[in-house]
């Protein structure tokens, strides 16, 4: 059994933290924490262990251990079996049990409408659509957020460095648009060593929900930006986005709604929304060079533009902008000379990946609809067979 102690709230001069002791075995005990800026300390939820239950859920499931917790909210307790059923189907594991010593009906009064901000296509589209006049006033974004809950890798020290860089960029954007920015920094990724859950894409929605529930006294509504469309829905062990809509319905409660935003439009359609946005033209940041270089040993360089133009996140964005004739609008964000040197190679890579990568498939459809085709030079690259 994995046991979770009651969360403890502590403060330093600049940060506030909730932490709990997690005992995975007799010889393995860790202190797991969620921390934020001191001004948001009062919103950290120590009254129940909801965020910590979600943190240990997948490690418990894949190792087939039950969970023992001191306190849990009644809503999460009620939904636990369904959450485990969904995750069990996705990860091909038998259900596990939860033992809670105290089930609490929380009575928080959150006020904020939040969304994560990385500067990428998804988060910028969510922000623009949910601050427009077309969005009901009660659902317009009031706060931006950035969470270190696994996307930056499982090595906490390195992940914190990469997270801190993104936090600085997010703070600049937040200041320009006049929205408060709240962060969550956590070491939960250190729990994810099992081969079935080591990659963030396998647990992305659940991980974001941990950060949200850690601040459930702040957020009454939170938008998770979808990376795909609901057309892709299925229980899959490959990526949690496939079934994120079913999962988040069980992660909110009586005072917190979690929505998957822009679940009806794909990445190409989101990009089309952004090409006329001055904010996007100034702040678009899709690059994963820092993370890939530290996690995968690549050598992508951001020496001539904010986005490296080499990693897969940059190149698939550049393909879409290229096919829409919008590259010049983003010349401050990408090195277009560097892009032209690799354009044929990336079109060839898109062609090869289109049957197994929905981003490549969306770009390929855009390419062909705009009259694009595979040139002899690109055929040569494809026939060389060294693209994946």
């Amino acid at each position: 059994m994995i046991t979770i102690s009651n969360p403890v709230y502590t403060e330093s001069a600049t940060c506030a933290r909730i932490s709990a002791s997690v005992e995975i075995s007799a010889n393995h005990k860790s202190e797991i924490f969620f921390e934020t800026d001191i001004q948001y300390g009062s919103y950290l939820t120590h009254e129940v262990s909801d965020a910590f239950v979600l943190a240990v859920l997948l490690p418990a499931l894949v190792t087939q251990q039950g969970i023992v917790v001191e306190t849990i909210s009644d809503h999460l307790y009620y939904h636990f079996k369904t959450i485990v059923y969904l995750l069990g189907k996705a990860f091909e594991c038998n259900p596990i049990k939860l033992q809670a010593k105290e089930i609490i009906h929380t009575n928080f009064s959150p006020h904020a409408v939040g969304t994560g901000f990385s500067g990428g296509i998804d988060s910028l589209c969510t922000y623009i659509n949910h601050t427009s006049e077309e969005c009901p006033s009660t659902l317009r974004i009031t706060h931006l957020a950035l969470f270190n809950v696994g996307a930056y890798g499982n090595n906490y020290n390195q992940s914190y460095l990469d997270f801190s860089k993104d936090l600085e960029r997010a703070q600049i954007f937040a200041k320009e648009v006049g929205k408060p920015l709240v962060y969550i920094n956590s070491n939960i990724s250190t729990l994810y060593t099992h081969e079935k859950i080591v990659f963030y894409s396998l647990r992305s929605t659940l991980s974001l929900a941990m950060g949200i529930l850690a601040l459930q006294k702040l957020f009454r509504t939170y938008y998770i930006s979808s990376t795909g469309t609901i057309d892709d829905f299925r229980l899959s062990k490959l990526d949690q986005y496939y079934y994120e809509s079913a999962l988040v319905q069980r992660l909110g409660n009586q005072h917190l709604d979690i929505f998957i935003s822009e679940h009806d439009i794909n990445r190409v359609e989101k990009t089309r929304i952004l090409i006329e946005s001055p904010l996007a033209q100034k702040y678009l940041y899709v690059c994963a060079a820092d993370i890939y270089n530290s996690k995968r040993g690549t050598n992508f360089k951001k020496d001539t533009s904010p986005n490296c133009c080499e990693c897969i996140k940059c190149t698939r964005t550049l393909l879409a902008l290229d096919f829409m004739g919008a590259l010049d609008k983003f010349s401050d964000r990408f090195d277009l000379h560097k892009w032209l040197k690799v354009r044929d190679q990336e079109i060839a890579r898109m062609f090869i990946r289109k049957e197994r990568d929905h981003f490549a498939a969306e770009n390929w459809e855009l390419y062909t609809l705009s009259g694009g085709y595979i040139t002899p030079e690109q055929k040569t690259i494809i026939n060389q067979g060294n693209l994946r």
Side-chain angles (χ1 to χ4, degrees), residues 31-47:
E31 181 186 272
I32 300 302
F33 65 83
F34 298 88
E35 67 181 14
T36 189
D37 188 274
I38 188 67
Q39 67 175 311
Y40 291 103
S42 62
Y43 297 109
L44 284 172
T45 309
H46 58 87
E47 292 85 350

Side-chain angles (χ1 to χ4, degrees), residues 23-94:
E23 186 172 335
I24 297 176
S25 67
N27 300 316
H28 186 182
K29 183 180 290 187
S30 300
E31 181 186 272
I32 300 302
F33 65 83
F34 298 88
E35 67 181 14
T36 189
D37 188 274
I38 188 67
Q39 67 175 311
Y40 291 103
S42 62
Y43 297 109
L44 284 172
T45 309
H46 58 87
E47 292 85 350
V48 289
S49 302
D50 292 5
F52 298 94
V53 170
L54 295 188
V56 304
L57 180 48
L58 280 179
L61 185 66
V62 297
T63 57
Q64 289 292 277
Q65 299 184 75
I67 300 172
V68 178
V69 65
E70 295 285 332
T71 58
I72 190 171
S73 70
D74 50 2
H75 278 66
L76 185 57
Y77 180 80
Y78 176 79
H79 286 301
F80 183 83
K81 288 183 180 179
T82 305
I83 295 168
V84 168
Y85 178 83
L86 286 170
L87 295 173
K89 289 293 184 182
F91 286 89
E92 300 174 352
C93 295
N94 293 322

Side-chain angles (χ1 to χ4, degrees), residues 139-241:
L139 296 177
R140 289 178 197 161
I141 290 168
T142 63
H143 288 63
L144 296 172
L146 191 67
F147 297 162
N148 179 20
V149 289
Y152 296 92
N154 295 344
N155 180 304
Y156 174 72
N157 291 332
Q158 183 61 51
S159 74
Y160 182 71
L161 293 175
D162 293 332
F163 167 70
S164 298
K165 294 177 184 177
D166 278 1
L167 188 60
E168 289 180 8
R169 289 189 305 97
Q171 287 169 335
I172 293 171
F173 179 87
K175 183 177 181 180
E176 171 148 337
V177 299
K179 304 291 183 188
L181 176 70
V182 56
Y183 72 82
I184 282 287
N185 178 45
S186 177
N187 65 341
I188 60 170
S189 58
T190 58
L191 295 173
Y192 294 87
T193 57
H194 193 283
E195 61 182 359
K196 282 190 173 183
I197 54 174
V198 68
F199 296 114
Y200 179 69
S201 61
L202 307 178
R203 48 187 163 91
S204 55
T205 307
L206 196 65
S207 294
L208 290 171
M210 299 170 203
I212 300 166
L213 288 181
L215 286 168
Q216 61 181 288
K217 290 193 289 185
L218 173 66
F219 295 119
R220 61 175 171 83
T221 303
Y222 195 94
Y223 301 110
I224 294 178
S225 299
S226 179
T227 58
T229 68
I230 201 166
D231 303 283
D232 296 326
F233 181 87
R234 62 184 182 274
L235 293 177
S236 171
K237 61 182 177 182
L238 299 177
D239 198 314
Q240 205 157 68
Y241 104 83

